[in-house]
Amino acid sequence: MTNKVTDYSDKELIGLFRKTESRDLAFNLIVRKYQEKLYWHIRKLLIDHSDTDDTLQNTFIKVWTGLDNFREDSGLFTWLYRIATNEALSFLNNKKRRFLLPLVDVEKHLSNSLKNDEYFNGDELQLKLQKALLTLPEKQRVVFNLKYFDEMKYEEMAEILETSVGALKASYHHAVKKIEKYILEH
Amino acid sequence: MNELKNIGPNLSRINKENPFEVPDKYFEDFSTRLSERIHAERNTYAPKRHVLAYRPYLAAAFILVVALLAGNYFLGNHRSIRADKSFHAEISQVVEQELYSISEETIMEVMEVNSVEKSSNSTVSPTDAIDYLMNEGLTEEELLNAL
């Protein structure tokens, strides 16, 4: 009977990765174990599927090149989320620079493209929520997504985002207030 | 959840289900596409990394040569012309030995990498050019018109 991806602990996967003979296999298992979680995390920030696909690939390439030096101060999951978040935020910043648009316009463009996106299947309220989210500062959006959609604990978020729990709670509170206001006004 | 109901009653009524979708078989094919990309990048960068591995040795050889030349210059003030000549010969021999210990192929590879790095460093990316023009006071509108 063969092992499923989830049968391997993160520690076992890192151990396998560090052996030359099982390196490729271990990497493949890591990708298959985390690809969906990371994809959805990035997708909620970038909205567009193909941008998300590029960023997810870049994330795993960074993992491939950096896993040897991963010191295991934090969990693999936390480390992967941190890389994915940084990659997604860098992607957004590069996009803003590339299109010569001031900060708010990329979000406006994404907001407008949501309705015609063939890979968006939400109802009117979900669409409104996504549009409201696009009005938030990027890091506040990350905090909101992790808490609201992924139901992540503040302590875990604090490790990923390297911020204090208090600051995260305040950020989430402000995000909810702003979204609530947006929903009422639109 | 109660906290959310208090601070965001309208938000708490929205369906939390994921509204996004992916193309068919996206996750099934992802690891294959990723492996192909890693394989391609590995082939592209492998020779460069190989050459870069020689850099510390080349740097050490260079420092040794400079140190010997500096020593020669310093001692040259205190030695006779004859001793100076024999010291010169000694240095030349050491330098020659150092250079012979590095293969010609390695030297050529390093020169190639350096020239590639120099040319890539000197290339101005479109983003840099845009940043520069905006710093010079051009507005986004003027830039868009110029494109």
Side-chain angles (χ1 to χ4, degrees), chain B residues 90-113:
Chain B
E90 245 175 66
I91 290 169
S92 301
Q93 208 179 348
V94 173
V95 170
E96 222 173 282
Q97 275 169 0
E98 281 298 328
L99 288 174
Y100 287 152
S101 68
I102 301 164
S103 73
E104 194 183 337
E105 195 191 350
T106 307
I107 293 169
M108 291 306 288
E109 280 177 341
V110 169
M111 285 169 71
E112 208 174 48
V113 168

Side-chain angles (χ1 to χ4, degrees), chain A residues 8-50:
Chain A
Y8 291 95
S9 69
D10 288 348
K11 228 178 170 53
E12 283 173 320
L13 289 173
I14 294 168
L16 286 171
F17 184 84
R18 286 182 177 152
K19 290 179 195 156
T20 319
E21 67 274 16
S22 52
R23 194 179 177 83
D24 286 347
L25 169 73
F27 183 68
N28 193 278
L29 292 174
I30 291 170
V31 171
R32 285 201 279 153
K33 185 172 179 181
Y34 287 109
Q35 61 179 4
E36 286 201 42
K37 279 180 183 168
L38 295 181
Y39 174 88
W40 293 120
H41 174 59
I42 298 169
R43 177 77 185 270
K44 281 179 213 128
L45 291 169
L46 303 186
I47 308 293
D48 180 71
H49 165 72
S50 93

Side-chain angles (χ1 to χ4, degrees), chain B residues 86-143:
Chain B
S86 77
F87 194 67
H88 256 298
E90 245 175 66
I91 290 169
S92 301
Q93 208 179 348
V94 173
V95 170
E96 222 173 282
Q97 275 169 0
E98 281 298 328
L99 288 174
Y100 287 152
S101 68
I102 301 164
S103 73
E104 194 183 337
E105 195 191 350
T106 307
I107 293 169
M108 291 306 288
E109 280 177 341
V110 169
M111 285 169 71
E112 208 174 48
V113 168
N114 286 341
S115 74
V116 168
E117 279 177 356
K118 270 182 195 162
S119 63
S120 67
N121 286 343
S122 63
T123 306
V124 179
S125 71
T127 321
D128 291 341
I130 287 160
D131 284 346
Y132 171 76
L133 290 170
M134 287 182 83
N135 287 338
E136 288 299 303
L138 257 76
T139 63
E140 288 163 16
E141 205 179 338
E142 286 168 326
L143 280 169

Side-chain angles (χ1 to χ4, degrees), chain B residues 22-81:
Chain B
V22 289
D24 279 347
K25 294 191 173 176
Y26 172 72
F27 290 119
E28 285 90 328
D29 299 340
F30 180 78
S31 61
T32 313
R33 286 190 301 116
L34 180 68
S35 301
E36 283 166 6
R37 190 173 152 192
I38 288 175
H39 185 71
E41 289 195 6
R42 218 193 255 169
N43 288 344
T44 310
Y45 293 112
K48 202 168 167 179
R49 279 186 195 139
H50 172 71
V51 174
L52 291 176
Y54 288 98
R55 274 192 164 175
Y57 300 108
L58 289 172
F62 177 74
I63 290 167
L64 182 70
V65 170
V66 170
L68 287 168
L69 289 172
N72 177 36
Y73 177 77
F74 177 73
L75 291 172
N77 294 332
H78 306 284
R79 289 189 177 198
S80 66
I81 293 168

